[in-house]
Amino acid sequence: MLLFSVLAAAVAPGLALLTYFYLKDRYDSEPLHMVFRVFLMGILMVLPVMIIQRGMMIWLGDNPYVEAILISGGVEEFVKWFVIYHIIYNHTEFDEPYDGILYSVAVSLGFATVENVLYAFAGNASVSAMFIRALLPVSGHAMFAVIMGYYLGRAKFSDGKKKRWFLMLSLVLPFFWHALYDVIMNTMVNHWLWFIAPLMAGLWYGAMGKITRANNRSPFRFVKREEEIKL
């Protein structure tokens, strides 16, 4: 019974956050099968990411800053970005700016959910420990994904230099915030809470603004208003 409770606590945050971001799509909800497929891609990413990270740890050594910046933040965000850009970015279902956020969140939460399950089994975690992970690592993955997806959405519907600029930001900014998060968690053993709490609050505040702006740029918002006027 305890094993089931811990497993449920490991899986529930990712599914709850994915549902929350899915419902935030105000104008043109994505097909559930597409969202699930992208979530599954995030799950399948875990093994290759672990192999790459293990190889880098053997090659670069055990340094908390290198681990936080390159091995964790760098590898994870690059692989997520690579998957979204090469599989979803040019897909016909990516037809409004908010879709970048939703699909990036789906990939990240698929990855974070498996990571959470592995932690639960490997570390014999309690339900309370999984609750803390829901507030921090799982939520953190979602916040980094919102940043990535917002700028992918901007790039998708921009041209020329703006497109290249937004594509660069979609990779660099999630990497920066993920690396900063991991540096705090890896190096500030006794004082991490004083830094991580305002960081997460700031990321959530910024994410809400990006969600609103992405929805406001949807081409379907005009269609919805015309339908309301006709009614």
mmCIF file with all atom_site columns, all heavy atoms in Angstrom, residues 4 9 18 39-40 43 61 70 81 90 93 97 121 125 137-138 151 162 177 204 206 213 227:
data_model
loop_
_atom_site.group_PDB
_atom_site.id
_atom_site.type_symbol
_atom_site.label_atom_id
_atom_site.label_alt_id
_atom_site.label_comp_id
_atom_site.label_asym_id
_atom_site.label_entity_id
_atom_site.label_seq_id
_atom_site.pdbx_PDB_ins_code
_atom_site.Cartn_x
_atom_site.Cartn_y
_atom_site.Cartn_z
_atom_site.occupancy
_atom_site.B_iso_or_equiv
_atom_site.pdbx_formal_charge
_atom_site.auth_seq_id
_atom_site.auth_comp_id
_atom_site.auth_asym_id
_atom_site.auth_atom_id
_atom_site.pdbx_PDB_model_num
ATOM 1   N N   . PHE A 1 4   ? 2.334   1.845  -3.439  1.00 0.00 ? 4   PHE A N   1
ATOM 2   C CA  . PHE A 1 4   ? 1.359   2.445  -4.354  1.00 0.00 ? 4   PHE A CA  1
ATOM 3   C C   . PHE A 1 4   ? 1.203   3.934  -4.071  1.00 0.00 ? 4   PHE A C   1
ATOM 4   O O   . PHE A 1 4   ? 1.099   4.737  -5.005  1.00 0.00 ? 4   PHE A O   1
ATOM 5   C CB  . PHE A 1 4   ? 0.003   1.747  -4.200  1.00 0.00 ? 4   PHE A CB  1
ATOM 6   C CG  . PHE A 1 4   ? -1.083  2.378  -5.018  1.00 0.00 ? 4   PHE A CG  1
ATOM 7   C CD1 . PHE A 1 4   ? -1.186  2.121  -6.390  1.00 0.00 ? 4   PHE A CD1 1
ATOM 8   C CD2 . PHE A 1 4   ? -1.997  3.254  -4.433  1.00 0.00 ? 4   PHE A CD2 1
ATOM 9   C CE1 . PHE A 1 4   ? -2.181  2.722  -7.151  1.00 0.00 ? 4   PHE A CE1 1
ATOM 10  C CE2 . PHE A 1 4   ? -2.985  3.850  -5.190  1.00 0.00 ? 4   PHE A CE2 1
ATOM 11  C CZ  . PHE A 1 4   ? -3.087  3.577  -6.559  1.00 0.00 ? 4   PHE A CZ  1
ATOM 12  N N   . ALA A 1 9   ? 2.197   9.380  -5.780  1.00 0.00 ? 9   ALA A N   1
ATOM 13  C CA  . ALA A 1 9   ? 2.737   10.710 -5.473  1.00 0.00 ? 9   ALA A CA  1
ATOM 14  C C   . ALA A 1 9   ? 3.821   11.112 -6.461  1.00 0.00 ? 9   ALA A C   1
ATOM 15  O O   . ALA A 1 9   ? 4.031   12.309 -6.695  1.00 0.00 ? 9   ALA A O   1
ATOM 16  C CB  . ALA A 1 9   ? 3.301   10.726 -4.050  1.00 0.00 ? 9   ALA A CB  1
ATOM 17  N N   . LEU A 1 18  ? 0.364   18.934 -16.288 1.00 0.00 ? 18  LEU A N   1
ATOM 18  C CA  . LEU A 1 18  ? 0.059   18.829 -17.711 1.00 0.00 ? 18  LEU A CA  1
ATOM 19  C C   . LEU A 1 18  ? -1.408  19.175 -17.971 1.00 0.00 ? 18  LEU A C   1
ATOM 20  O O   . LEU A 1 18  ? -1.729  19.885 -18.933 1.00 0.00 ? 18  LEU A O   1
ATOM 21  C CB  . LEU A 1 18  ? 0.367   17.423 -18.216 1.00 0.00 ? 18  LEU A CB  1
ATOM 22  C CG  . LEU A 1 18  ? 0.155   17.186 -19.719 1.00 0.00 ? 18  LEU A CG  1
ATOM 23  C CD1 . LEU A 1 18  ? 1.015   18.142 -20.548 1.00 0.00 ? 18  LEU A CD1 1
ATOM 24  C CD2 . LEU A 1 18  ? 0.462   15.742 -20.085 1.00 0.00 ? 18  LEU A CD2 1
ATOM 25  N N   . PHE A 1 39  ? 4.132   13.780 -24.533 1.00 0.00 ? 39  PHE A N   1
ATOM 26  C CA  . PHE A 1 39  ? 4.432   13.370 -23.159 1.00 0.00 ? 39  PHE A CA  1
ATOM 27  C C   . PHE A 1 39  ? 5.232   12.062 -23.173 1.00 0.00 ? 39  PHE A C   1
ATOM 28  O O   . PHE A 1 39  ? 6.203   11.906 -22.424 1.00 0.00 ? 39  PHE A O   1
ATOM 29  C CB  . PHE A 1 39  ? 3.127   13.194 -22.389 1.00 0.00 ? 39  PHE A CB  1
ATOM 30  C CG  . PHE A 1 39  ? 3.292   12.847 -20.939 1.00 0.00 ? 39  PHE A CG  1
ATOM 31  C CD1 . PHE A 1 39  ? 3.594   13.821 -20.004 1.00 0.00 ? 39  PHE A CD1 1
ATOM 32  C CD2 . PHE A 1 39  ? 3.119   11.541 -20.502 1.00 0.00 ? 39  PHE A CD2 1
ATOM 33  C CE1 . PHE A 1 39  ? 3.741   13.509 -18.654 1.00 0.00 ? 39  PHE A CE1 1
ATOM 34  C CE2 . PHE A 1 39  ? 3.257   11.216 -19.160 1.00 0.00 ? 39  PHE A CE2 1
ATOM 35  C CZ  . PHE A 1 39  ? 3.567   12.206 -18.237 1.00 0.00 ? 39  PHE A CZ  1
ATOM 36  N N   . LEU A 1 40  ? 4.835   11.138 -24.052 1.00 0.00 ? 40  LEU A N   1
ATOM 37  C CA  . LEU A 1 40  ? 5.538   9.858  -24.180 1.00 0.00 ? 40  LEU A CA  1
ATOM 38  C C   . LEU A 1 40  ? 6.963   10.063 -24.688 1.00 0.00 ? 40  LEU A C   1
ATOM 39  O O   . LEU A 1 40  ? 7.888   9.366  -24.261 1.00 0.00 ? 40  LEU A O   1
ATOM 40  C CB  . LEU A 1 40  ? 4.766   8.934  -25.118 1.00 0.00 ? 40  LEU A CB  1
ATOM 41  C CG  . LEU A 1 40  ? 5.317   7.516  -25.307 1.00 0.00 ? 40  LEU A CG  1
ATOM 42  C CD1 . LEU A 1 40  ? 5.346   6.765  -23.982 1.00 0.00 ? 40  LEU A CD1 1
ATOM 43  C CD2 . LEU A 1 40  ? 4.469   6.750  -26.326 1.00 0.00 ? 40  LEU A CD2 1
ATOM 44  N N   . ILE A 1 43  ? 9.064   10.772 -21.828 1.00 0.00 ? 43  ILE A N   1
ATOM 45  C CA  . ILE A 1 43  ? 9.374   9.548  -21.078 1.00 0.00 ? 43  ILE A CA  1
ATOM 46  C C   . ILE A 1 43  ? 10.520  8.792  -21.746 1.00 0.00 ? 43  ILE A C   1
ATOM 47  O O   . ILE A 1 43  ? 11.456  8.327  -21.078 1.00 0.00 ? 43  ILE A O   1
ATOM 48  C CB  . ILE A 1 43  ? 8.115   8.658  -20.980 1.00 0.00 ? 43  ILE A CB  1
ATOM 49  C CG1 . ILE A 1 43  ? 7.064   9.334  -20.074 1.00 0.00 ? 43  ILE A CG1 1
ATOM 50  C CG2 . ILE A 1 43  ? 8.455   7.260  -20.473 1.00 0.00 ? 43  ILE A CG2 1
ATOM 51  C CD1 . ILE A 1 43  ? 5.739   8.602  -20.021 1.00 0.00 ? 43  ILE A CD1 1
ATOM 52  N N   . GLY A 1 61  ? 34.481  14.370 -14.764 1.00 0.00 ? 61  GLY A N   1
ATOM 53  C CA  . GLY A 1 61  ? 34.736  14.246 -13.339 1.00 0.00 ? 61  GLY A CA  1
ATOM 54  C C   . GLY A 1 61  ? 33.557  14.720 -12.488 1.00 0.00 ? 61  GLY A C   1
ATOM 55  O O   . GLY A 1 61  ? 32.543  15.203 -12.997 1.00 0.00 ? 61  GLY A O   1
ATOM 56  N N   . LEU A 1 70  ? 26.482  21.888 -16.988 1.00 0.00 ? 70  LEU A N   1
ATOM 57  C CA  . LEU A 1 70  ? 26.611  21.174 -18.255 1.00 0.00 ? 70  LEU A CA  1
ATOM 58  C C   . LEU A 1 70  ? 25.869  19.846 -18.266 1.00 0.00 ? 70  LEU A C   1
ATOM 59  O O   . LEU A 1 70  ? 25.080  19.575 -19.174 1.00 0.00 ? 70  LEU A O   1
ATOM 60  C CB  . LEU A 1 70  ? 28.094  20.934 -18.570 1.00 0.00 ? 70  LEU A CB  1
ATOM 61  C CG  . LEU A 1 70  ? 28.934  22.171 -18.899 1.00 0.00 ? 70  LEU A CG  1
ATOM 62  C CD1 . LEU A 1 70  ? 30.374  21.752 -19.181 1.00 0.00 ? 70  LEU A CD1 1
ATOM 63  C CD2 . LEU A 1 70  ? 28.354  22.916 -20.091 1.00 0.00 ? 70  LEU A CD2 1
ATOM 64  N N   . TRP A 1 81  ? 14.819  20.535 -26.186 1.00 0.00 ? 81  TRP A N   1
ATOM 65  C CA  . TRP A 1 81  ? 14.706  21.490 -27.288 1.00 0.00 ? 81  TRP A CA  1
ATOM 66  C C   . TRP A 1 81  ? 14.856  20.782 -28.635 1.00 0.00 ? 81  TRP A C   1
ATOM 67  O O   . TRP A 1 81  ? 14.113  21.071 -29.573 1.00 0.00 ? 81  TRP A O   1
ATOM 68  C CB  . TRP A 1 81  ? 15.791  22.556 -27.136 1.00 0.00 ? 81  TRP A CB  1
ATOM 69  C CG  . TRP A 1 81  ? 15.729  23.652 -28.156 1.00 0.00 ? 81  TRP A CG  1
ATOM 70  C CD1 . TRP A 1 81  ? 15.047  24.829 -28.066 1.00 0.00 ? 81  TRP A CD1 1
ATOM 71  C CD2 . TRP A 1 81  ? 16.384  23.663 -29.442 1.00 0.00 ? 81  TRP A CD2 1
ATOM 72  N NE1 . TRP A 1 81  ? 15.225  25.581 -29.206 1.00 0.00 ? 81  TRP A NE1 1
ATOM 73  C CE2 . TRP A 1 81  ? 16.049  24.890 -30.070 1.00 0.00 ? 81  TRP A CE2 1
ATOM 74  C CE3 . TRP A 1 81  ? 17.215  22.770 -30.108 1.00 0.00 ? 81  TRP A CE3 1
ATOM 75  C CZ2 . TRP A 1 81  ? 16.517  25.232 -31.334 1.00 0.00 ? 81  TRP A CZ2 1
ATOM 76  C CZ3 . TRP A 1 81  ? 17.674  23.101 -31.374 1.00 0.00 ? 81  TRP A CZ3 1
ATOM 77  C CH2 . TRP A 1 81  ? 17.327  24.325 -31.975 1.00 0.00 ? 81  TRP A CH2 1
ATOM 78  N N   . ASN A 1 90  ? 7.555   21.975 -36.690 1.00 0.00 ? 90  ASN A N   1
ATOM 79  C CA  . ASN A 1 90  ? 6.995   22.099 -38.039 1.00 0.00 ? 90  ASN A CA  1
ATOM 80  C C   . ASN A 1 90  ? 5.732   21.266 -38.245 1.00 0.00 ? 90  ASN A C   1
ATOM 81  O O   . ASN A 1 90  ? 5.260   21.134 -39.378 1.00 0.00 ? 90  ASN A O   1
ATOM 82  C CB  . ASN A 1 90  ? 8.042   21.723 -39.090 1.00 0.00 ? 90  ASN A CB  1
ATOM 83  C CG  . ASN A 1 90  ? 9.175   22.740 -39.149 1.00 0.00 ? 90  ASN A CG  1
ATOM 84  O OD1 . ASN A 1 90  ? 8.944   23.940 -39.194 1.00 0.00 ? 90  ASN A OD1 1
ATOM 85  N ND2 . ASN A 1 90  ? 10.408  22.247 -39.142 1.00 0.00 ? 90  ASN A ND2 1
ATOM 86  N N   . GLU A 1 93  ? -0.102  20.684 -36.280 1.00 0.00 ? 93  GLU A N   1
ATOM 87  C CA  . GLU A 1 93  ? -0.857  21.000 -35.061 1.00 0.00 ? 93  GLU A CA  1
ATOM 88  C C   . GLU A 1 93  ? -0.250  22.171 -34.287 1.00 0.00 ? 93  GLU A C   1
ATOM 89  O O   . GLU A 1 93  ? -0.898  22.735 -33.412 1.00 0.00 ? 93  GLU A O   1
ATOM 90  C CB  . GLU A 1 93  ? -0.940  19.769 -34.148 1.00 0.00 ? 93  GLU A CB  1
ATOM 91  C CG  . GLU A 1 93  ? -1.787  18.635 -34.691 1.00 0.00 ? 93  GLU A CG  1
ATOM 92  C CD  . GLU A 1 93  ? -3.267  18.987 -34.818 1.00 0.00 ? 93  GLU A CD  1
ATOM 93  O OE1 . GLU A 1 93  ? -3.676  20.028 -34.266 1.00 0.00 ? 93  GLU A OE1 1
ATOM 94  O OE2 . GLU A 1 93  ? -3.998  18.233 -35.482 1.00 0.00 ? 93  GLU A OE2 1
ATOM 95  N N   . PRO A 1 97  ? 0.839   30.359 -31.040 1.00 0.00 ? 97  PRO A N   1
ATOM 96  C CA  . PRO A 1 97  ? 1.998   30.497 -30.152 1.00 0.00 ? 97  PRO A CA  1
ATOM 97  C C   . PRO A 1 97  ? 1.917   29.668 -28.875 1.00 0.00 ? 97  PRO A C   1
ATOM 98  O O   . PRO A 1 97  ? 2.944   29.156 -28.413 1.00 0.00 ? 97  PRO A O   1
ATOM 99  C CB  . PRO A 1 97  ? 2.006   31.999 -29.838 1.00 0.00 ? 97  PRO A CB  1
ATOM 100 C CG  . PRO A 1 97  ? 1.402   32.624 -31.050 1.00 0.00 ? 97  PRO A CG  1
ATOM 101 C CD  . PRO A 1 97  ? 0.324   31.673 -31.485 1.00 0.00 ? 97  PRO A CD  1
ATOM 102 N N   . PHE A 1 121 ? 11.812  5.014  -6.321  1.00 0.00 ? 121 PHE A N   1
ATOM 103 C CA  . PHE A 1 121 ? 12.233  3.629  -6.128  1.00 0.00 ? 121 PHE A CA  1
ATOM 104 C C   . PHE A 1 121 ? 13.680  3.537  -5.644  1.00 0.00 ? 121 PHE A C   1
ATOM 105 O O   . PHE A 1 121 ? 14.001  2.743  -4.770  1.00 0.00 ? 121 PHE A O   1
ATOM 106 C CB  . PHE A 1 121 ? 12.062  2.840  -7.425  1.00 0.00 ? 121 PHE A CB  1
ATOM 107 C CG  . PHE A 1 121 ? 10.647  2.433  -7.693  1.00 0.00 ? 121 PHE A CG  1
ATOM 108 C CD1 . PHE A 1 121 ? 9.914   3.044  -8.689  1.00 0.00 ? 121 PHE A CD1 1
ATOM 109 C CD2 . PHE A 1 121 ? 10.041  1.441  -6.935  1.00 0.00 ? 121 PHE A CD2 1
ATOM 110 C CE1 . PHE A 1 121 ? 8.600   2.670  -8.931  1.00 0.00 ? 121 PHE A CE1 1
ATOM 111 C CE2 . PHE A 1 121 ? 8.732   1.058  -7.163  1.00 0.00 ? 121 PHE A CE2 1
ATOM 112 C CZ  . PHE A 1 121 ? 8.005   1.676  -8.169  1.00 0.00 ? 121 PHE A CZ  1
ATOM 113 N N   . ALA A 1 125 ? 11.768  6.804  -1.261  1.00 0.00 ? 125 ALA A N   1
ATOM 114 C CA  . ALA A 1 125 ? 11.208  8.093  -0.856  1.00 0.00 ? 125 ALA A CA  1
ATOM 115 C C   . ALA A 1 125 ? 9.861   7.929  -0.165  1.00 0.00 ? 125 ALA A C   1
ATOM 116 O O   . ALA A 1 125 ? 9.103   7.001  -0.441  1.00 0.00 ? 125 ALA A O   1
ATOM 117 C CB  . ALA A 1 125 ? 11.052  8.991  -2.076  1.00 0.00 ? 125 ALA A CB  1
ATOM 118 N N   . PRO A 1 137 ? 11.541  20.040 -8.204  1.00 0.00 ? 137 PRO A N   1
ATOM 119 C CA  . PRO A 1 137 ? 12.047  19.567 -9.507  1.00 0.00 ? 137 PRO A CA  1
ATOM 120 C C   . PRO A 1 137 ? 10.977  19.452 -10.590 1.00 0.00 ? 137 PRO A C   1
ATOM 121 O O   . PRO A 1 137 ? 11.191  19.898 -11.720 1.00 0.00 ? 137 PRO A O   1
ATOM 122 C CB  . PRO A 1 137 ? 12.644  18.192 -9.174  1.00 0.00 ? 137 PRO A CB  1
ATOM 123 C CG  . PRO A 1 137 ? 12.915  18.218 -7.727  1.00 0.00 ? 137 PRO A CG  1
ATOM 124 C CD  . PRO A 1 137 ? 11.861  19.087 -7.128  1.00 0.00 ? 137 PRO A CD  1
ATOM 125 N N   . VAL A 1 138 ? 9.812   18.864 -10.260 1.00 0.00 ? 138 VAL A N   1
ATOM 126 C CA  . VAL A 1 138 ? 8.788   18.682 -11.288 1.00 0.00 ? 138 VAL A CA  1
ATOM 127 C C   . VAL A 1 138 ? 8.256   20.032 -11.749 1.00 0.00 ? 138 VAL A C   1
ATOM 128 O O   . VAL A 1 138 ? 8.140   20.312 -12.945 1.00 0.00 ? 138 VAL A O   1
ATOM 129 C CB  . VAL A 1 138 ? 7.639   17.789 -10.765 1.00 0.00 ? 138 VAL A CB  1
ATOM 130 C CG1 . VAL A 1 138 ? 6.551   17.645 -11.826 1.00 0.00 ? 138 VAL A CG1 1
ATOM 131 C CG2 . VAL A 1 138 ? 8.176   16.412 -10.370 1.00 0.00 ? 138 VAL A CG2 1
ATOM 132 N N   . TYR A 1 151 ? 9.210   31.026 -26.369 1.00 0.00 ? 151 TYR A N   1
ATOM 133 C CA  . TYR A 1 151 ? 10.079  31.574 -27.416 1.00 0.00 ? 151 TYR A CA  1
ATOM 134 C C   . TYR A 1 151 ? 10.047  30.732 -28.692 1.00 0.00 ? 151 TYR A C   1
ATOM 135 O O   . TYR A 1 151 ? 10.233  31.260 -29.789 1.00 0.00 ? 151 TYR A O   1
ATOM 136 C CB  . TYR A 1 151 ? 11.492  31.750 -26.886 1.00 0.00 ? 151 TYR A CB  1
ATOM 137 C CG  . TYR A 1 151 ? 11.569  32.909 -25.922 1.00 0.00 ? 151 TYR A CG  1
ATOM 138 C CD1 . TYR A 1 151 ? 11.694  32.701 -24.556 1.00 0.00 ? 151 TYR A CD1 1
ATOM 139 C CD2 . TYR A 1 151 ? 11.470  34.222 -26.385 1.00 0.00 ? 151 TYR A CD2 1
ATOM 140 C CE1 . TYR A 1 151 ? 11.731  33.768 -23.667 1.00 0.00 ? 151 TYR A CE1 1
ATOM 141 C CE2 . TYR A 1 151 ? 11.495  35.292 -25.506 1.00 0.00 ? 151 TYR A CE2 1
ATOM 142 C CZ  . TYR A 1 151 ? 11.628  35.062 -24.152 1.00 0.00 ? 151 TYR A CZ  1
ATOM 143 O OH  . TYR A 1 151 ? 11.642  36.121 -23.278 1.00 0.00 ? 151 TYR A OH  1
ATOM 144 N N   . LYS A 1 162 ? 14.318  38.013 -36.304 1.00 0.00 ? 162 LYS A N   1
ATOM 145 C CA  . LYS A 1 162 ? 13.522  37.746 -35.106 1.00 0.00 ? 162 LYS A CA  1
ATOM 146 C C   . LYS A 1 162 ? 13.353  36.262 -34.864 1.00 0.00 ? 162 LYS A C   1
ATOM 147 O O   . LYS A 1 162 ? 13.422  35.799 -33.732 1.00 0.00 ? 162 LYS A O   1
ATOM 148 C CB  . LYS A 1 162 ? 12.151  38.421 -35.229 1.00 0.00 ? 162 LYS A CB  1
ATOM 149 C CG  . LYS A 1 162 ? 12.139  39.905 -34.926 1.00 0.00 ? 162 LYS A CG  1
ATOM 150 C CD  . LYS A 1 162 ? 10.718  40.422 -34.846 1.00 0.00 ? 162 LYS A CD  1
ATOM 151 C CE  . LYS A 1 162 ? 10.693  41.876 -34.403 1.00 0.00 ? 162 LYS A CE  1
ATOM 152 N NZ  . LYS A 1 162 ? 9.303   42.378 -34.278 1.00 0.00 ? 162 LYS A NZ  1
ATOM 153 N N   . TRP A 1 177 ? 18.245  29.100 -16.582 1.00 0.00 ? 177 TRP A N   1
ATOM 154 C CA  . TRP A 1 177 ? 17.458  28.965 -15.350 1.00 0.00 ? 177 TRP A CA  1
ATOM 155 C C   . TRP A 1 177 ? 17.593  27.564 -14.752 1.00 0.00 ? 177 TRP A C   1
ATOM 156 O O   . TRP A 1 177 ? 17.629  27.418 -13.522 1.00 0.00 ? 177 TRP A O   1
ATOM 157 C CB  . TRP A 1 177 ? 15.995  29.300 -15.620 1.00 0.00 ? 177 TRP A CB  1
ATOM 158 C CG  . TRP A 1 177 ? 15.774  30.745 -15.897 1.00 0.00 ? 177 TRP A CG  1
ATOM 159 C CD1 . TRP A 1 177 ? 15.401  31.334 -17.063 1.00 0.00 ? 177 TRP A CD1 1
ATOM 160 C CD2 . TRP A 1 177 ? 15.950  31.833 -14.958 1.00 0.00 ? 177 TRP A CD2 1
ATOM 161 N NE1 . TRP A 1 177 ? 15.328  32.695 -16.928 1.00 0.00 ? 177 TRP A NE1 1
ATOM 162 C CE2 . TRP A 1 177 ? 15.655  33.035 -15.648 1.00 0.00 ? 177 TRP A CE2 1
ATOM 163 C CE3 . TRP A 1 177 ? 16.320  31.907 -13.617 1.00 0.00 ? 177 TRP A CE3 1
ATOM 164 C CZ2 . TRP A 1 177 ? 15.723  34.281 -15.039 1.00 0.00 ? 177 TRP A CZ2 1
ATOM 165 C CZ3 . TRP A 1 177 ? 16.387  33.149 -13.013 1.00 0.00 ? 177 TRP A CZ3 1
ATOM 166 C CH2 . TRP A 1 177 ? 16.089  34.315 -13.712 1.00 0.00 ? 177 TRP A CH2 1
ATOM 167 N N   . TRP A 1 204 ? 7.371   31.133 -11.656 1.00 0.00 ? 204 TRP A N   1
ATOM 168 C CA  . TRP A 1 204 ? 5.923   30.970 -11.806 1.00 0.00 ? 204 TRP A CA  1
ATOM 169 C C   . TRP A 1 204 ? 5.262   32.282 -12.239 1.00 0.00 ? 204 TRP A C   1
ATOM 170 O O   . TRP A 1 204 ? 4.385   32.290 -13.098 1.00 0.00 ? 204 TRP A O   1
ATOM 171 C CB  . TRP A 1 204 ? 5.300   30.479 -10.493 1.00 0.00 ? 204 TRP A CB  1
ATOM 172 C CG  . TRP A 1 204 ? 5.199   28.985 -10.424 1.00 0.00 ? 204 TRP A CG  1
ATOM 173 C CD1 . TRP A 1 204 ? 6.016   28.123 -9.754  1.00 0.00 ? 204 TRP A CD1 1
ATOM 174 C CD2 . TRP A 1 204 ? 4.219   28.171 -11.072 1.00 0.00 ? 204 TRP A CD2 1
ATOM 175 N NE1 . TRP A 1 204 ? 5.601   26.825 -9.935  1.00 0.00 ? 204 TRP A NE1 1
ATOM 176 C CE2 . TRP A 1 204 ? 4.501   26.824 -10.737 1.00 0.00 ? 204 TRP A CE2 1
ATOM 177 C CE3 . TRP A 1 204 ? 3.125   28.445 -11.894 1.00 0.00 ? 204 TRP A CE3 1
ATOM 178 C CZ2 . TRP A 1 204 ? 3.721   25.769 -11.205 1.00 0.00 ? 204 TRP A CZ2 1
ATOM 179 C CZ3 . TRP A 1 204 ? 2.343   27.389 -12.370 1.00 0.00 ? 204 TRP A CZ3 1
ATOM 180 C CH2 . TRP A 1 204 ? 2.653   26.064 -12.020 1.00 0.00 ? 204 TRP A CH2 1
ATOM 181 N N   . GLY A 1 206 ? 6.640   34.748 -13.910 1.00 0.00 ? 206 GLY A N   1
ATOM 182 C CA  . GLY A 1 206 ? 6.990   34.965 -15.307 1.00 0.00 ? 206 GLY A CA  1
ATOM 183 C C   . GLY A 1 206 ? 6.228   34.030 -16.238 1.00 0.00 ? 206 GLY A C   1
ATOM 184 O O   . GLY A 1 206 ? 5.824   34.428 -17.338 1.00 0.00 ? 206 GLY A O   1
ATOM 185 N N   . ARG A 1 213 ? 0.437   36.162 -22.635 1.00 0.00 ? 213 ARG A N   1
ATOM 186 C CA  . ARG A 1 213 ? 0.892   36.797 -23.877 1.00 0.00 ? 213 ARG A CA  1
ATOM 187 C C   . ARG A 1 213 ? 0.805   35.845 -25.057 1.00 0.00 ? 213 ARG A C   1
ATOM 188 O O   . ARG A 1 213 ? 0.448   36.248 -26.173 1.00 0.00 ? 213 ARG A O   1
ATOM 189 C CB  . ARG A 1 213 ? 2.319   37.324 -23.703 1.00 0.00 ? 213 ARG A CB  1
ATOM 190 C CG  . ARG A 1 213 ? 2.411   38.500 -22.741 1.00 0.00 ? 213 ARG A CG  1
ATOM 191 C CD  . ARG A 1 213 ? 3.751   39.210 -22.856 1.00 0.00 ? 213 ARG A CD  1
ATOM 192 N NE  . ARG A 1 213 ? 4.863   38.379 -22.432 1.00 0.00 ? 213 ARG A NE  1
ATOM 193 C CZ  . ARG A 1 213 ? 5.266   38.248 -21.167 1.00 0.00 ? 213 ARG A CZ  1
ATOM 194 N NH1 . ARG A 1 213 ? 4.621   38.895 -20.190 1.00 0.00 ? 213 ARG A NH1 1
ATOM 195 N NH2 . ARG A 1 213 ? 6.295   37.491 -20.860 1.00 0.00 ? 213 ARG A NH2 1
ATOM 196 N N   . GLU A 1 227 ? -17.515 34.428 -33.483 1.00 0.00 ? 227 GLU A N   1
ATOM 197 C CA  . GLU A 1 227 ? -18.566 33.469 -33.160 1.00 0.00 ? 227 GLU A CA  1
ATOM 198 C C   . GLU A 1 227 ? -19.442 33.978 -32.028 1.00 0.00 ? 227 GLU A C   1
ATOM 199 O O   . GLU A 1 227 ? -20.663 33.833 -32.034 1.00 0.00 ? 227 GLU A O   1
ATOM 200 C CB  . GLU A 1 227 ? -17.940 32.128 -32.777 1.00 0.00 ? 227 GLU A CB  1
ATOM 201 C CG  . GLU A 1 227 ? -17.319 31.399 -33.957 1.00 0.00 ? 227 GLU A CG  1
ATOM 202 C CD  . GLU A 1 227 ? -16.605 30.137 -33.540 1.00 0.00 ? 227 GLU A CD  1
ATOM 203 O OE1 . GLU A 1 227 ? -16.464 29.925 -32.305 1.00 0.00 ? 227 GLU A OE1 1
ATOM 204 O OE2 . GLU A 1 227 ? -16.182 29.362 -34.422 1.00 0.00 ? 227 GLU A OE2 1
#
